[in-house]
């Protein structure tokens, strides 16, 4: 008789209930607290303010822009890994993992130097004659997207490498022998193969970018407000914990909806067939 593996899952279930489900239930419960008991007033107040809705849209747009940026950077790196030998692969893995061993706070403050008026980007633009004076990308959405793309790039490279490592390079060579050009090989052969890895990476990058309070606050500045900064304002300045809980639940649900949609797409039978 085959032994059940359920006892081995019990520690994980207990940890999940203690450190995820219970705090989440408390958060949701706080979001319904009002001056006269349970109420939807916090959610009504959030969606009734046009500024809050614009912040929610800005947060989603920042996540999507970072997803596009990391995809444009990550796909060529993953394809280089796929076509390279052992040494180059080790170098790519090393360079991908090293930033993940550094705190997001440290990487964020490094970007202050890079994006500043005396940073390498400003100096390069002046040397090329694009700008006539020092230019700062600090406190701009472009600078924030650049920083987020570098910070979250490993989250899309690693799923792609995991997918391509199981794919023989001969697939590309067979298509080339059949007369397909580089773009046709990429669109009809490589892109369907990489799609499950891309979907996993997009979910991770979007979730990470949407909730990255430190980078948003430091690089984006006060003029670019996103949902995590709203939550911090409600907790740290206004001490309105129920409203902060409601905003956190809205952020969690919006990210969760995207996660469910991406999961359903990744389980489509045509995609599963390619994976």
């Amino acid at each position: 008789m085959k032994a059940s593996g359920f006892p081995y899952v019990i520690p994980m279930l207990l940890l999940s209930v203690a450190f995820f489900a219970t705090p989440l239930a408390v958060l949701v419960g706080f979001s319904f607290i009002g001056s006269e008991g349970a109420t939807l007033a916090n959610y009504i107040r959030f969606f009734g303010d046009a500024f809050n809705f614009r912040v929610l849209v800005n947060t989603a747009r920042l996540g999507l822009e970072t997803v596009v940026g990391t995809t444009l950077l990550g796909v060529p790196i993953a394809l280089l890994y796929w076509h390279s030998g052992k040494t180059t692969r080790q170098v790519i893995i090393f360079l991908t993992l090293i930033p993940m061993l550094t705190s997001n706070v440290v990487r964020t403050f490094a970007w202050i130097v890079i994006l500043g008026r005396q940073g390498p980007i400003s100096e390069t633009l002046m040397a090329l004659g694009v700008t006539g004076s020092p230019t700062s990308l600090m406190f701009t959405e472009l600078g924030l997207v650049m920083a987020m793309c570098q910070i979250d790039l490993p989250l899309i490279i690693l799923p792609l490498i995991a997918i391509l490592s199981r794919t023989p390079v001969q697939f590309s060579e067979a298509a080339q022998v059949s007369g397909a050009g580089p773009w046709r090989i990429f669109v009809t052969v490589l892109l369907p193969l990489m799609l499950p890895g891309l979907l996993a990476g997009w979910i991770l990058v979007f979730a990470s970018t949407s909730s990255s309070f430190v980078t948003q606050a430091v690089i984006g500045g006060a003029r670019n407000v996103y949902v995590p900064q709203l939550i911090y304002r409600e907790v740290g300045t206004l001490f309105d914990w129920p409203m902060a809980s409601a905003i956190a639940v809205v952020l969690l649900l919006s990210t969760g909806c995207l996660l469910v949609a991406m999961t359903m797409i990744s389980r489509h039978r045509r995609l599963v067939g390619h994976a």
Side-chain angles (χ1 to χ4, degrees), residues 35-49:
S35 57
E36 299 178 355
T39 176
L40 291 173
N42 295 317
Y43 292 97
I44 295 173
R45 186 151 62 96
F46 177 81
F47 287 106
D49 191 332

Side-chain angles (χ1 to χ4, degrees), residues 122-219:
S122 177
E123 296 290 340
T124 302
L125 292 176
M126 288 183 63
L128 295 175
V130 178
T131 59
S133 59
T135 304
S136 175
L137 292 177
M138 284 294 295
F139 313 132
T140 64
E141 187 161 305
L142 175 60
L144 178 58
V145 171
M146 291 171 65
M148 293 306 310
C149 284
Q150 187 274 328
I151 291 172
D152 290 338
L153 190 57
L155 300 180
I156 201 165
I157 290 179
L158 294 177
L160 287 176
I161 286 178
I163 291 290
L164 291 175
S165 296
R166 295 180 297 171
T167 306
V169 183
Q170 288 76 12
F171 278 22
S172 175
E173 296 173 353
Q176 189 174 11
V177 170
S178 301
W183 280 108
R184 190 175 179 84
I185 293 174
F186 177 77
V187 172
T188 61
V189 178
L190 297 180
L191 192 58
L193 288 171
M194 293 190 296
L195 201 49
L198 282 173
L199 290 170
W202 291 342
I203 292 170
L204 294 173
V205 170
F206 186 87
S208 173
T209 302
S210 301
S211 59
S212 183
F213 168 74
V214 173
T215 308
Q216 292 173 3
V218 173
I219 304 296

Side-chain angles (χ1 to χ4, degrees), residues 24-44 241-243 245-247 249 253:
L24 183 61
V26 172
L27 178 73
V28 174
F30 257 99
S31 69
F32 290 105
I33 292 178
S35 57
E36 299 178 355
T39 176
L40 291 173
N42 295 317
Y43 292 97
I44 295 173
W241 286 74
M243 185 62 189
S245 301
I247 299 173
V249 171
L253 288 177

Side-chain angles (χ1 to χ4, degrees), residues 46-272:
F46 177 81
F47 287 106
D49 191 332
F51 174 76
N52 292 335
F53 186 75
R54 190 164 63 249
V55 169
L56 189 62
V57 172
N58 289 344
T59 306
R61 188 182 66 234
L62 175 65
L64 293 175
E65 289 173 346
T66 306
V67 164
V68 172
T70 51
T71 302
L72 294 176
L73 293 172
V75 168
I77 295 174
L79 290 177
L80 175 63
Y81 174 91
W82 191 46
H83 284 285
S84 300
K86 181 179 178 181
T87 303
T88 305
R89 288 188 172 192
Q90 290 175 340
V91 171
I92 291 174
I93 291 293
F94 178 78
L95 294 177
T96 302
L97 293 179
I98 280 296
M100 299 184 73
L101 302 179
T102 308
S103 167
N104 276 1
V105 176
V106 175
R107 284 187 282 173
T108 297
F109 279 91
W111 273 98
I112 294 177
V113 178
I114 296 172
L115 299 174
R117 294 174 65 85
Q118 306 301 325
I121 294 178
S122 177
E123 296 290 340
T124 302
L125 292 176
M126 288 183 63
L128 295 175
V130 178
T131 59
S133 59
T135 304
S136 175
L137 292 177
M138 284 294 295
F139 313 132
T140 64
E141 187 161 305
L142 175 60
L144 178 58
V145 171
M146 291 171 65
M148 293 306 310
C149 284
Q150 187 274 328
I151 291 172
D152 290 338
L153 190 57
L155 300 180
I156 201 165
I157 290 179
L158 294 177
L160 287 176
I161 286 178
I163 291 290
L164 291 175
S165 296
R166 295 180 297 171
T167 306
V169 183
Q170 288 76 12
F171 278 22
S172 175
E173 296 173 353
Q176 189 174 11
V177 170
S178 301
W183 280 108
R184 190 175 179 84
I185 293 174
F186 177 77
V187 172
T188 61
V189 178
L190 297 180
L191 192 58
L193 288 171
M194 293 190 296
L195 201 49
L198 282 173
L199 290 170
W202 291 342
I203 292 170
L204 294 173
V205 170
F206 186 87
S208 173
T209 302
S210 301
S211 59
S212 183
F213 168 74
V214 173
T215 308
Q216 292 173 3
V218 173
I219 304 296
R223 288 183 299 177
N224 300 296
V225 181
Y226 302 97
V227 174
Q229 291 162 279
L230 273 186
I231 297 173
Y232 176 79
R233 186 194 66 179
E234 296 293 335
V235 173
T237 305
L238 303 177
F239 302 105
D240 191 346
W241 286 74
M243 185 62 189
S245 301
I247 299 173
V249 171
V250 171
L251 177 62
L252 189 64
L253 288 177
S254 59
T255 306
C257 289
L258 178 70
L259 178 66
V260 171
M262 289 293 183
T263 303
M264 292 176 65
I265 293 173
S266 64
R267 289 180 178 176
H268 192 279
R269 57 184 178 85
R270 294 184 64 180
L271 295 179
V272 173

